Amino acid sequence: MNDARQPPAILIMGPTASGKTAVAMALADRLPVELISVDSAQVFRDMDVGTAKPDRATLARYPHHLIDLISPEESYSAARFRADALATMAAISAAGKVPVLVGGTMMYFRALLHGLADLPQADAGLRAAIDAEAAAAGWPAIHAKLAAVDPATAARLHPTDSQRLQRALEIYRLSGRPMSELLAESERQRPPYDFLSIGLLPSDRAVLHERIARRFDEMLAAGLDEEVRMLRRKYTLNLNLPSMRCVGYRQTWEAQDGTLPPSELRDRGIFATRQLAKRQITWLTNSFTAEHYDCLDPRLSERIAARTGEFLAA
């Protein structure tokens, strides 16, 4: 490795069920790396089944930084992720290893690479007002309002992505300026690393959808319903918390409360996960410069390990 260049770092980005963890573990088997999770759901303690968090045996062999950080009652921001990730990367590099950041939370990757604009703080009253508007007219109507004032942000958000729609409209109403414009003004510099960015994309979305369905079935069989019941007993939770907005958890909660027929839980959960994957793919293809690999390639891990080895040796 050339000592004159900036320290290397590897980004493994992709939609849910694209095999990111398997690729990261293959790198850990071959190269002097440490893994950092880039997953907004895996930061929550006790949320294991529905987040596809690696099990204890896997974590013992392949430790992941930045998982199990907070209670499901708390929130974890992109700004906090950036600070935590940069501190962890610095420690890994200082120990002579290479940080590998792996996950599907594209907002976190963007925050890491491009910094964060000086956005206004959350306003509980305004958020309640936006929630009331959504309750009356639906989130697609909120999406339309956002599109009228911030078309760039609206274009990358799904019409039912309530959390991000609320935040984007809140920012506009507080600042009088579109969130996309404020983000573009961010003066933070790209971190001092030589990045190799790897994007995992499916050559056939139907096969990815099959993987998503199979994995959701595995979550149900592994006790997703029991996990949500445990969380509701152990913590003071509601459906507006980021933890319970996670795909799978919201649908399971609604099935438990009877607002969603239990017979529809599987289909709703799979549909929501497919929508998440679609948003992740859109982010990955439109917002990042990365070397793309077919996540359905049976030799995927081998190919990426070879490319990473070449990158580190350059």
Side-chain angles (χ1 to χ4, degrees), residues 8 20 23 28 47 100 165 239 259:
K20 300 180 295 293
V23 168
M47 290 176 56
V100 173
L165 288 172
L239 281 177
T259 55

Side-chain angles (χ1 to χ4, degrees), residues 44-48 53 56 68 70-74 225-238 241 243-244 253 256:
F44 296 111
R45 291 189 293 270
D46 290 326
M47 290 176 56
D48 303 329
K53 195 178 294 176
R56 291 182 182 273
D68 294 333
I70 61 173
S71 156
E73 298 167 326
E74 300 176 86
D225 181 75
E226 290 82 355
E227 181 171 85
V228 174
R229 292 184 189 279
M230 175 275 294
L231 291 167
R232 297 179 71 174
R233 288 193 302 270
K234 185 172 182 178
Y235 300 101
T236 302
L237 302 175
N238 61 71
L241 287 169
S243 60
M244 292 300 104
W253 180 304
Q256 291 175 357

Side-chain angles (χ1 to χ4, degrees), residues 130-131 134-135 137-144 159-163 165-166 245:
I130 294 171
D131 281 340
W139 283 105
I142 301 300
H143 184 269
T160 59
D161 190 351
S162 58
Q163 185 175 3
L165 288 172
Q166 179 195 63
R245 288 184 176 185

